[in-house]
Amino acid sequence: MSIQTPQKPLPGAYIQTPAVSRFQSFQSRQPNSVSQQQNGNQQQSQALSQQGQSVQQGGQKSEAQDVPPIERAAKAVNEALSEESQYPDLDSYIGQGISSEYEVTTQPAWAPFQKIKMHPIPDRIFEQYNRAQVSTIMGLFADFNHAWVAIDNALYLWDYTHPNPDLVSFEEQPHTITAVRLVKPRAGVFVPAVIRLLVVATTADVIIIGLSAQPAPHGGQSVALYSLKMSAPVKGLDVNIIEGSDSTGRVFFSGRLSDDVYEFTYQQEERWFQNRCTKVNHTQKGYSTFTPATFFGQRAQQETVVQMIMDDTRRLLYTLSSRSTIRTFHMKGNGVLDLVITKPLGQTLSNVGHMTSQSDLISPSMAIVSISAITAQEATKIHLMASTSTGCRIFMSATSSYGNYSSSSNAPTSMQVQHVKFPPAETTTSNSNQVAPYSSTPSINTSSRSLVPTRSAIRYAPGYFLAFIVKDQQSGTDLLFVSGPDSARIARPQDQQRLTRYAELALWLNLGSRAEDVGLATEPFSASFSPVGFGNELAVQFDKPTSEIAILTNTGVHMLRRRRLVDIFAAALRLGGGDEGLEGEVKKFIRQYGPGETASTALAVACGQAFDVTSDSRVARILDSDVLEHARKAFIEYGGKPLFNENSMLDQSMPAIDLVQPSPRHRGLSRYISRLVRSVWKAPVIRELLTPTGGLIISSSVPMNKLKEISQDLTKLKEFLNVNKSFIEGLAGPEALGNVKTKQDEVCLQAEHRALHALVILIDNIIEGLAFVLVLYDEKIEETVLSLANEVRQQVRNLSYEGLCTTALGKQLAKDLVKAIVNRNILSGSNVETVAEALRRRCGSFCSADDVIIFKAQEYVKRASEAGADADVCRDYLNESLRLFKQVTGSLSMEQLHWIIENYVTLQFYAGSIQLCLDKAQESDRGGRALTWIQEGRPPGDKRIEAFEFRRRCYDLVHQVISSVERSRTESPDMVDGHLTLAGRRREEAADEIDTSDDEVFQTDLYDWYLQENRSDRLLEVESPYVITYLERRSSDDIAHADLLWKYYLQNERYQDAAMVQLALAKSQFVLSLDQRINYLGNAKTNASTTRPGIVRSSRTEVLREVSDLLDVANIQSDLLQRLKGESRITADRRPQVIEELNGQILPLTVLFNTYCEPAFYFDLCILIYEAADHRVASDIKATWQNLLEDAHTQADLTSQGPQPYEMVADTVRALGNRLGLSETMFPVAELLPMLKRYAFNYQSHVGPETWVVDIFTDLQVPYESIYAVLENMFYNDEAPFQRRNRRFIGNDIVYIAKAWFQDSIRGSGTIFGGEDNAMAVSEMLHTVMQTDLDERRLEECQNLRMRIENMLR
């Protein structure tokens, strides 16, 4: 279980106290005291407090603070990997010049190499050796753990690691064997079983033999030889040197009698003019090739080749002659080998002379005893290392003609000495922990004869040097000097300002016998594929096997093992001598290699990574409890502390926690993790290959055993951290805060915790990621990958282990693969629960408990499908699957949800489909963010849109289910013989789920979908409170929704609400014509007038009043619009604008009056506006009526064939009176009647009926008594023009109206004129009128009327 840490910040996340100010005031400085120190701490606390507060108040946070722990840890690991990839290349620390720096130790604990054991030569070899007659030579095939001996004409091979090995012999030829070499064959010539060629040179021929190897039961390899029947004659050459090219398969050789270089060529079949095998001389041409090597007579000693080595990376072949001349050959295509450089000893000495003064070690008397190639992978400049008989190492570089360093395609043309490493001092040893500072510059010893005489030497990458020295010529035994680079000091020199120096650790070993051959028993070392980073032994000490070197002597095979830094540290702890010695060893490590490397190494030892040679000569892990405990203490106690970067305190944009550099302990932990995972971190999880037939093969880019090893090592690391977390500063938890003294310490502790906790999480992730990959390859991975979608499959191809363990995409892809595995098992009928549970146990992050439940539910769905939709058990399976799915709704992906709904619909499980979709939508948005977004009007660019969009994806599935339900109605009816069918019941269940859902967001989306599908009728049928809420919310944006809203109200008999919606539409900003708005107002007036129990009367009256008022205004605007459409006074350009302005929103009365009606002299509309606006200024009203009458008269005069002016005036007054409803204010009879009488008298005298004025008012049903009263006042007022004799015109109207009033009153059972008093008053008035100058007809009518009144009064 991973260490769980709260995500909220620990106390001290925002500093409230201190740090010393970096700026000192210009004052006299006093001696330090305790008080001053306290004051400094207080100032520091205040500075930190201000910084923390400013960051907190400004709301600025650094990016680092927002980085998730897993990304933070991944960054630390990548930084460690990047740092180690920048390990200095060989050229950088073996530069131009000389050196002699060694640390030769006599302490076993600090030895760079250790002797594992000596494998004796089998007795059977000695038996054959005793039978030798001519010659005996020995050698090693160390990469196969085999040695060989050639005795006369017989060759014997044996596995030197086996206690009782079998001999593999080659005795099928009669000639004495002079040389043996194992080389790689040229591709395509032999069967795949032949992985090597055994090249055997005899006095007569060069023979090649096929060699195959198979793993042996005891752990080594067993070899077998195959006769290939290939040979070439070499009689007279006395071949003693053979070399092969691994990349091309070419074989070169030379003999003891010349310095010529030959090539042994071979091919599958003989061709015209070319045998299967032949030899080619690449150094002599023409006749000399066919002449014997010796002539009669004496001559100078022939120069011969004593060593031949190959550099395949540059396609160069180097030879060393007996005169210490180095020749360089360049391999070209078509079997060409060109001699490009000849470097005599004199030139070499001349080059060295420019670097150092006279030295006895570099003189013509010395010889070059061996050469070693340095590949282009290891160095760019340096090509070769030559070892001298005096123990000096001469490093040489080669360049082309253009000054560039040579490559495989660019042959070098010159070679120069780059560096000379002189032997160690004869008294140089290291026996004490007190090591001189490495930064000091030691003097270079150019006269040490400690390695004189060196008989032979060899170098292996990345710099292992073995020199065999013969101190006692009589004894015939070799003393071995072996050295290797001190990688830790080269990687991180103590003095960063100085160039990296060639630091080496060395050791003397007494072999007790003579060395015959040396070979590398392990793979050649390489930490990278380029010179930078190539030699970093620290980086690969847990990733690759430790280098082992086999040394064959005449007594046996001595195995030498390179000791890693972790092995040296463990041995130093074991042999340190108690706690005091332990402290000294740890401090020595810290001084030499730094606290970070010491912490990393101590952690590795504590986790069991150290090895040592046991008493029985086995290489085993160091698991001694004392050593592990010492390593644990070293990691915990010497891990250092985090460092607060005070130089960055002025950067107010960064929180204080981001100014803390984690401790060396953190660097050591991240470095250790990076070294464990370096081989897989960037590697792809899968590797796809196509077979020749087009099939797909998927393999792991990393061997399964390697993944298991890494997982085991990380598990040990996890256990170590978990057990010791209470002692490790940064992992101890909140209780560690009790030990801090200042806020700065508190911040440092928090930063340390943040960094270490992130690495702990990463360790868990990597362990689970590796476990997942192991499970993945246990399954049929090809079928699993092929079942993925193309896009996902491409992402899986590109997925690295880093991405798998540290990114959200990697985790999602892993889940996709898990689903694919489970789905494949479901299809194959396997027990899904077993597979899922196994996945959960091994990699819970990729297959959680929720995933297991999902897989179980999917299996129930599969069983239901197999049973069929109509089976009883099908419904049980589906209900159980739904129950399980609802438990883990939040973990369901949309892909899974689609699969579930598709199967549910196929099985007619409609209600379950809808339930699951709605649950998924609700689970995805527990906070209701989508609903608040809708309620706030759906603002664009809001982050809550994402929550709504995810919900809508779930709702789209519900829409599909609804569509499927509707389609199913055509296939099976709901009712049969009056009974509900099974299909009908399922459809009813689905409808109930929809109608009873309390998910307002769903209901909103559903209604949107109904309208998109043109199913507004379905929306009006829904009985849900959310319909009104939905329509109210959407009606503000869409008129269609508003129409649906008032229709929904009408359908539910909510007339008042419908009227309010229609009123709102009439007043809205929607693009509506004026007629549409009047229509809405008319409907609203009707609905508002409709009574229904439960409606408050006052509310209804208020709505009705508002609707009526607005309708009046709209009607006025409509009249105005119609008039302006035909108005000739408006220009053609202005007319569309006027119509557009009026045929839209209902305008305010002020606008209608001031902008249109009054300027256009539409006086009747002005009067209507007075009425609507409740404008009661009598003078304005009277003046407007006067203007109206004049305008009507004028309009009638302008038309010759139209109505008479009086008719126009009468019609105008009559129409307006009807519109005004005889309003006392707007239709003042007392003003209008005199006004009309005066008009008739002045302008229409004797035109038309004499009573046309009074008829207007009687037609409008103005009460007779009102007309009578006005006429009576006019009669008595004696106002112009109705004075004196003209009063008869008024009298005539009085008689006329009195008669009409009388006739109207006697029709009923009531009294005449409404009462006796009125009748008497009328009678008296008629009597007075009779005194005027009435015409005879009126006078007679008056008399008769008065008599009737008098009779009725009696």
Side-chain angles (χ1 to χ4, degrees):
M1 176 176 287
S2 63
I3 302 173
Q4 299 296 326
T5 303
Q7 294 300 314
K8 63 182 181 181
L10 290 173
Y14 296 97
I15 316 300
Q16 301 302 328
T17 48
V20 173
S21 174
R22 296 169 53 237
F23 302 96
Q24 304 291 336
S25 59
F26 295 97
Q27 297 177 358
S28 60
R29 304 187 64 174
Q30 301 294 332
N32 291 332
S33 64
V34 175
S35 61
Q36 286 179 329
Q37 183 176 1
Q38 292 175 348
N39 291 334
N41 289 336
Q42 185 176 2
Q43 294 173 4
Q44 186 179 30
S45 298
Q46 293 173 354
L48 275 174
S49 176
Q50 293 172 0
Q51 181 185 15
Q53 290 174 359
S54 65
V55 172
Q56 192 173 9
Q57 293 172 359
Q60 299 176 348
K61 294 184 178 180
S62 69
E63 295 180 2
Q65 202 171 22
D66 298 331
V67 175
I70 191 65
E71 291 185 18
R72 189 183 305 280
K75 179 182 178 183
V77 170
N78 282 320
E79 288 176 352
L81 289 171
S82 175
E83 179 187 22
E84 302 211 304
S85 68
Q86 299 303 312
Y87 182 89
D89 61 327
L90 192 67
D91 298 320
S92 65
Y93 59 87
I94 302 183
Q96 188 80 24
I98 61 175
S99 64
S100 64
E101 297 173 44
Y102 297 86
E103 186 175 336
V104 183
T105 180
T106 59
Q107 288 184 306
W110 289 82
F113 293 86
Q114 64 182 154
K115 187 175 179 181
I116 302 175
K117 66 181 302 184
M118 193 271 287
H119 301 285
I121 297 176
D123 294 338
R124 295 173 60 188
I125 296 297
F126 284 116
E127 292 175 3
Q128 296 295 330
Y129 177 79
N130 292 332
R131 300 192 184 99
Q133 297 179 356
V134 180
S135 68
T136 301
I137 53 177
M138 303 174 67
L140 284 171
F141 303 145
D143 50 345
F144 287 96
N145 295 330
H146 275 63
W148 59 270
V149 60
I151 302 174
D152 296 338
N153 67 325
L155 177 65
Y156 301 100
L157 285 73
W158 75 95
D159 183 353
Y160 57 77
T161 63
H162 198 282
N164 188 22
D166 294 329
L167 296 184
V168 179
S169 62
F170 172 68
E171 303 174 326
E172 286 74 19
Q173 61 85 32
H175 305 290
T176 300
I177 297 174
T178 58
V180 176
R181 186 71 173 178
L182 195 65
V183 299
K184 287 186 177 180
R186 193 167 69 246
V189 177
F190 306 104
V191 296
V194 177
I195 60 173
R196 293 289 190 276
L197 295 181
L198 189 59
V199 184
V200 179
T202 69
T203 55
D205 305 284
V206 172
I207 306 167
I208 59 173
I209 304 166
L211 183 144
S212 65
Q214 299 292 333
H218 69 280
Q221 296 187 75
S222 61
V223 301
L225 303 181
Y226 299 93
S227 174
L228 303 177
K229 297 182 179 180
M230 289 185 172
S231 64
V234 293
K235 192 171 183 179
L237 296 182
D238 197 8
V239 176
N240 67 330
I241 304 294
I242 303 174
E243 183 62 30
S245 169
D246 290 345
S247 62
T248 63
R250 297 174 69 176
V251 179
F252 303 96
F253 61 89
S254 184
R256 292 187 177 90
L257 303 180
S258 71
D259 60 350
D260 293 335
V261 175
Y262 295 86
E263 181 177 359
F264 180 86
T265 64
Y266 55 93
Q267 58 190 12
Q268 277 186 324
E269 300 175 351
E270 291 188 2
R271 301 176 184 174
W272 288 101
F273 308 107
Q274 189 172 9
N275 297 327
R276 290 182 65 196
C277 302
T278 186
K279 71 176 187 296
V280 178
N281 189 335
H282 288 289
T283 52
Q284 289 189 0
K285 308 297 180 183
Y287 175 79
S288 62
T289 305
F290 304 99
T291 59
T294 59
F295 297 89
F296 295 105
Q298 296 181 349
R299 62 173 183 171
Q301 184 178 0
Q302 176 67 39
E303 183 180 17
T304 61
V305 175
V306 296
Q307 189 181 4
M308 189 182 293
I309 58 171
M310 179 67 65
D311 181 0
D312 276 312
T313 61
R314 297 185 175 95
R315 293 187 176 272
L316 298 180
L317 174 69
Y318 302 102
T319 64
L320 175 65
S321 76
S322 56
R323 297 177 183 172
S324 297
T325 297
I326 300 173
R327 292 181 173 86
T328 304
F329 297 85
H330 184 238
M331 291 191 300
K332 297 182 177 179
N334 300 321
V336 176
L337 184 72
D338 289 339
L339 176 62
V340 292
I341 300 175
T342 299
K343 186 76 171 178
L345 179 60
Q347 287 188 13
T348 302
L349 295 174
S350 176
N351 293 157
V352 175
H354 293 290
M355 299 181 184
T356 180
S357 58
Q358 188 71 24
S359 172
D360 293 339
L361 301 181
I362 303 294
S363 65
S365 62
M366 67 107 188
I368 297 177
V369 296
S370 66
I371 55 176
S372 297
I374 298 175
T375 65
Q377 186 179 352
E378 188 176 359
T380 302
K381 298 179 183 178
I382 300 175
H383 286 50
L384 190 71
M385 186 196 81
S387 301
T388 69
S389 58
T390 57
C392 296
R393 282 179 279 170
I394 303 174
F395 294 90
M396 299 183 177
S397 63
T399 57
S400 67
S401 57
Y402 299 101
N404 299 322
Y405 294 101
S406 65
S407 62
S408 59
S409 59
N410 186 20
T413 57
S414 65
M415 182 175 286
Q416 301 294 326
V417 174
Q418 183 79 13
H419 187 89
V420 178
K421 182 88 181 232
F422 286 92
E426 297 181 75
T427 58
T428 299
T429 59
S430 178
N431 299 317
S432 171
N433 291 337
Q434 302 299 325
V435 179
Y438 186 68
S439 58
S440 61
T441 305
S443 60
I444 299 176
N445 188 342
T446 61
S447 61
S448 172
R449 302 184 62 82
S450 59
L451 300 185
V452 178
T454 296
R455 182 173 62 86
S456 65
I458 193 168
R459 179 190 184 275
Y460 295 111
Y464 308 148
F465 174 63
L466 289 83
F468 298 93
I469 299 96
V470 183
K471 289 295 186 181
D472 186 358
Q473 297 290 342
Q474 300 298 325
S475 64
T477 61
D478 289 334
L479 188 63
L480 173 62
F481 175 81
V482 55
S483 66
D486 192 349
S487 301
R489 282 201 285 182
I490 292 175
R492 298 171 188 86
Q494 293 177 351
D495 189 353
Q496 300 289 343
Q497 304 300 322
R498 298 175 59 88
L499 293 176
T500 304
R501 298 212 298 268
Y502 189 8
E504 285 188 284
L505 297 174
L507 179 71
W508 286 95
L509 289 175
N510 191 349
L511 297 178
S513 54
R514 179 184 173 86
E516 300 292 340
D517 198 5
V518 182
L520 193 61
T522 53
E523 290 289 331
F525 180 88
S526 67
S528 71
F529 298 102
S530 62
V532 177
F534 177 89
N536 194 348
E537 292 181 277
L538 299 176
V540 298
Q541 58 182 327
F542 314 123
D543 184 49
K544 292 188 175 183
T546 305
S547 297
E548 293 185 3
I549 301 171
I551 303 172
L552 176 64
T553 69
N554 51 14
T555 58
V557 179
H558 299 259
M559 298 303 301
L560 205 61
R561 175 178 176 270
R562 170 64 165 172
R563 298 183 75 202
R564 306 168 301 168
L565 190 65
V566 65
D567 302 330
I568 294 175
F569 186 73
L573 295 180
R574 173 187 284 176
L575 306 175
D579 292 339
E580 294 182 1
L582 168 65
E583 182 179 358
E585 297 293 340
V586 173
K587 288 183 177 180
K588 177 181 178 181
F589 245 80
I590 293 175
R591 285 195 303 272
Q592 293 194 175
Y593 306 127
E597 192 61 51
T598 302
S600 176
T601 306
L603 181 60
V605 174
C607 293
Q609 288 285 0
F611 286 83
D612 201 0
V613 178
T614 63
S615 58
D616 56 353
S617 300
R618 290 185 301 106
V619 178
R621 290 184 184 272
I622 298 178
L623 299 176
D624 297 353
S625 59
D626 291 343
V627 175
L628 299 184
E629 176 61 19
H630 290 330
R632 184 190 74 86
K633 291 177 63 177
F635 177 74
I636 294 173
E637 297 177 6
Y638 296 93
K641 292 184 177 296
L643 177 64
F644 192 86
N645 186 2
E646 298 181 9
N647 294 326
S648 301
M649 285 181 59
L650 291 181
D651 185 1
Q652 299 294 327
S653 64
M654 293 183 66
I657 190 174
D658 291 333
L659 304 179
V660 178
Q661 179 182 345
S663 66
R665 182 185 298 103
H666 170 266
R667 294 199 301 275
L669 177 57
S670 59
R671 197 173 290 168
Y672 179 56
I673 295 173
S674 70
R675 290 169 181 174
L676 292 179
V677 302
R678 72 182 306 274
S679 60
V680 302
W681 192 244
K682 300 293 183 181
V685 174
I686 68 169
R687 177 183 294 154
E688 291 189 1
L689 299 173
L690 293 177
T691 63
T693 59
L696 178 66
I697 298 177
I698 296 179
S699 61
S700 173
S701 60
V702 181
M704 293 293 103
N705 289 337
K706 183 63 177 178
L707 296 180
K708 293 177 182 178
E709 290 177 6
I710 296 173
S711 180
Q712 292 170 0
D713 291 339
L714 288 172
T715 302
K716 292 178 182 176
L717 174 60
K718 174 184 174 181
E719 293 172 353
F720 173 84
L721 295 176
N722 193 34
V723 170
N724 295 282
K725 63 182 180 181
S726 59
F727 305 104
I728 299 174
E729 184 176 331
L731 290 181
E735 58 270 14
L737 291 172
N739 299 324
V740 298
K741 298 180 180 178
T742 66
K743 280 295 181 180
Q744 178 172 320
D745 293 341
E746 189 175 338
V747 176
C748 291
L749 180 60
Q750 182 192 0
E752 182 78 354
H753 166 80
R754 184 177 67 173
L756 290 178
H757 175 63
L759 291 176
V760 170
I761 295 176
L762 177 63
I763 293 169
D764 282 338
N765 281 21
I766 299 175
I767 293 173
E768 288 199 353
L770 296 178
F772 166 73
V773 174
L774 293 172
V775 172
L776 183 64
Y777 281 98
D778 285 342
E779 298 290 327
K780 296 180 179 179
I781 187 170
E782 287 83 3
E783 296 180 8
T784 301
V785 173
L786 287 174
S787 67
L788 299 172
N790 290 334
E791 180 181 358
V792 177
R793 182 178 170 188
Q794 182 60 42
Q795 290 175 332
V796 171
R797 286 196 198 103
N798 300 331
L799 181 64
S800 65
Y801 282 88
E802 177 190 8
L804 174 67
C805 301
T806 63
T807 65
L809 175 61
K811 193 168 186 178
Q812 182 57 48
L813 292 177
K815 289 189 174 183
D816 291 337
L817 288 167
V818 168
K819 294 168 191 173
I821 292 173
V822 174
N823 290 335
R824 186 181 61 79
N825 281 274
I826 290 176
L827 293 175
S828 63
S830 302
N831 189 333
V832 175
E833 185 173 352
T834 303
V835 175
E837 189 62 30
L839 286 167
R840 187 192 66 78
R841 287 197 309 270
R842 298 179 65 177
C843 42
S845 295
F846 306 130
C847 182
S848 63
D850 286 357
D851 293 329
V852 175
I853 295 175
I854 292 172
F855 299 146
K856 290 179 183 178
Q858 287 175 331
E859 189 169 15
Y860 278 117
V861 175
K862 177 176 177 290
R863 292 179 185 177
S865 299
E866 294 172 349
D870 296 330
D872 294 338
V873 70
C874 173
R875 190 59 42 159
D876 295 336
Y877 286 145
L878 291 175
N879 286 329
E880 181 61 20
S881 71
L882 178 62
R883 184 186 68 81
L884 293 174
F885 281 135
K886 293 178 76 171
Q887 290 180 13
V888 292
T889 307
S891 299
L892 288 174
S893 66
M894 288 306 299
E895 181 184 359
Q896 290 172 326
L897 191 61
H898 276 276
W899 181 88
I900 296 166
I901 301 307
E902 181 181 351
N903 283 272
Y904 276 5
V905 170
T906 302
L907 298 171
Q908 298 182 4
F909 192 37
Y910 306 124
S913 301
I914 296 171
Q915 281 186 38
L916 190 58
C917 290
L918 297 184
D919 284 358
K920 177 63 179 176
Q922 194 68 26
E923 183 67 24
S924 69
D925 182 27
R926 290 185 178 181
R929 299 170 71 241
L931 180 58
T932 58
W933 177 70
I934 292 173
Q935 291 172 341
E936 293 175 11
R938 308 187 182 207
D942 197 293
K943 292 183 178 180
R944 293 171 294 181
I945 295 177
E946 297 178 2
F948 174 76
E949 289 297 334
F950 187 88
R951 276 180 172 263
R952 190 161 65 176
R953 292 172 63 189
C954 300
Y955 300 149
D956 287 343
L957 293 177
V958 178
H959 302 161
Q960 296 176 19
V961 175
I962 295 174
S963 299
S964 299
V965 171
E966 295 299 327
R967 287 193 298 269
S968 69
R969 295 184 189 277
T970 62
E971 301 172 359
S972 58
D974 290 341
M975 305 290 291
V976 174
D977 297 332
H979 298 286
L980 191 64
T981 63
L982 178 61
R985 186 170 69 250
R986 292 172 178 172
R987 287 191 282 266
E988 279 194 359
E989 292 173 354
D992 289 341
E993 288 294 334
I994 295 172
D995 294 340
T996 59
S997 172
D998 60 355
D999 185 348
E1000 185 175 349
V1001 182
F1002 164 66
Q1003 296 290 357
T1004 300
D1005 182 78
L1006 179 65
Y1007 305 151
D1008 282 338
W1009 182 69
Y1010 280 151
L1011 296 180
Q1012 290 172 5
E1013 297 293 318
N1014 297 321
R1015 298 179 61 183
S1016 57
D1017 55 334
R1018 177 71 183 91
L1019 179 59
L1020 296 177
E1021 295 171 0
V1022 175
E1023 296 181 1
S1024 170
Y1026 298 117
V1027 175
I1028 295 177
T1029 303
Y1030 165 76
L1031 292 175
E1032 286 178 344
R1033 187 181 296 126
R1034 299 303 296 271
S1035 62
S1036 61
D1037 300 325
D1038 185 14
I1039 190 172
H1041 289 84
D1043 284 335
L1044 286 173
L1045 179 58
W1046 65 261
K1047 290 176 183 179
Y1048 189 84
Y1049 281 140
L1050 284 181
Q1051 185 165 308
N1052 291 274
E1053 299 182 354
R1054 296 175 59 175
Y1055 303 109
Q1056 182 82 359
D1057 294 327
M1060 293 178 67
V1061 174
Q1062 291 166 333
L1063 173 61
L1065 280 172
K1067 297 163 61 177
S1068 69
Q1069 300 291 329
F1070 292 125
V1071 180
L1072 293 171
S1073 68
L1074 185 59
D1075 289 341
Q1076 289 175 309
R1077 295 178 189 272
I1078 292 173
N1079 185 51
Y1080 280 127
L1081 290 171
N1083 293 331
K1085 188 173 183 179
T1086 302
N1087 293 324
S1089 302
T1090 305
T1091 60
R1092 182 172 177 266
I1095 298 178
V1096 180
R1097 182 178 180 85
S1098 60
S1099 175
R1100 182 175 67 85
T1101 303
E1102 183 180 350
V1103 173
L1104 182 59
R1105 182 187 58 78
E1106 183 179 0
V1107 171
S1108 299
D1109 290 346
L1110 191 60
L1111 183 59
D1112 291 340
V1113 177
N1115 286 327
I1116 295 172
Q1117 184 172 330
S1118 178
D1119 291 342
L1120 176 62
L1121 175 63
Q1122 296 306 317
R1123 290 193 191 179
L1124 290 178
K1125 284 182 179 180
E1127 178 63 70
S1128 60
R1129 291 175 292 174
I1130 302 179
T1131 63
D1133 295 337
R1134 171 66 176 158
R1135 189 185 308 277
Q1137 181 181 354
V1138 170
I1139 293 174
E1140 182 180 359
E1141 290 175 357
L1142 292 175
N1143 193 26
Q1145 293 187 9
I1146 300 174
L1147 301 177
L1149 289 171
T1150 304
V1151 175
L1152 295 177
F1153 183 84
N1154 294 325
T1155 306
Y1156 297 103
C1157 294
E1158 188 179 38
F1161 308 126
Y1162 296 153
F1163 301 113
D1164 55 340
L1165 298 183
C1166 290
I1167 294 171
L1168 291 174
I1169 291 175
Y1170 291 159
E1171 171 69 14
D1174 197 21
H1175 184 73
R1176 297 177 179 272
V1177 179
S1179 59
D1180 291 344
I1181 297 171
K1182 181 179 179 181
T1184 305
W1185 273 107
Q1186 186 67 46
N1187 291 333
L1188 177 63
L1189 298 180
E1190 293 177 0
D1191 184 69
H1193 177 82
T1194 303
Q1195 294 297 329
D1197 281 343
L1198 294 176
T1199 57
S1200 58
Q1201 297 181 352
Q1204 292 293 325
Y1206 83 90
E1207 293 177 329
M1208 177 72 76
V1209 170
D1211 290 341
T1212 300
V1213 174
R1214 192 178 293 113
L1216 189 55
N1218 285 324
R1219 292 281 296 273
L1220 294 173
L1222 301 181
S1223 169
E1224 294 180 1
T1225 306
M1226 297 301 126
F1227 196 82
V1229 177
E1231 297 290 344
L1232 291 177
L1233 183 56
M1235 190 183 299
L1236 286 169
K1237 289 299 293 180
R1238 284 192 293 271
Y1239 166 75
F1241 180 84
N1242 294 326
Y1243 300 103
Q1244 298 293 304
S1245 178
H1246 306 294
V1247 179
E1250 60 179 9
T1251 60
W1252 67 269
V1253 174
V1254 177
D1255 288 340
I1256 293 174
F1257 295 96
T1258 58
D1259 291 343
L1260 291 173
Q1261 297 181 356
V1262 176
Y1264 293 109
E1265 58 267 34
S1266 297
I1267 301 173
Y1268 175 83
V1270 174
L1271 292 172
E1272 184 181 22
N1273 289 334
M1274 291 178 66
F1275 185 84
Y1276 286 120
N1277 287 341
D1278 194 26
E1279 293 180 355
F1282 303 110
Q1283 296 171 337
R1284 294 182 294 275
R1285 188 172 180 275
N1286 289 339
R1287 292 175 64 192
R1288 70 180 185 274
F1289 295 106
I1290 303 302
N1292 289 335
D1293 289 337
I1294 291 174
V1295 173
Y1296 177 76
I1297 200 65
K1299 181 179 179 181
W1301 188 7
F1302 176 77
Q1303 291 174 350
D1304 181 72
S1305 61
I1306 64 176
R1307 290 193 188 100
S1309 58
T1311 59
I1312 60 173
F1313 298 111
E1316 187 175 336
D1317 293 339
N1318 288 341
M1320 291 176 66
V1322 171
S1323 177
E1324 291 178 3
M1325 184 64 195
L1326 290 175
H1327 176 74
T1328 303
V1329 169
M1330 289 172 59
Q1331 306 303 317
T1332 60
D1333 189 13
L1334 296 176
D1335 59 58
E1336 295 180 358
R1337 184 174 60 82
R1338 287 298 181 194
L1339 181 59
E1340 182 180 358
E1341 288 181 0
C1342 182
Q1343 291 174 348
N1344 293 335
L1345 177 61
R1346 187 170 182 273
M1347 291 177 61
R1348 296 181 66 182
I1349 296 172
E1350 291 293 332
N1351 290 334
M1352 295 188 72
L1353 287 175
R1354 294 191 184 101

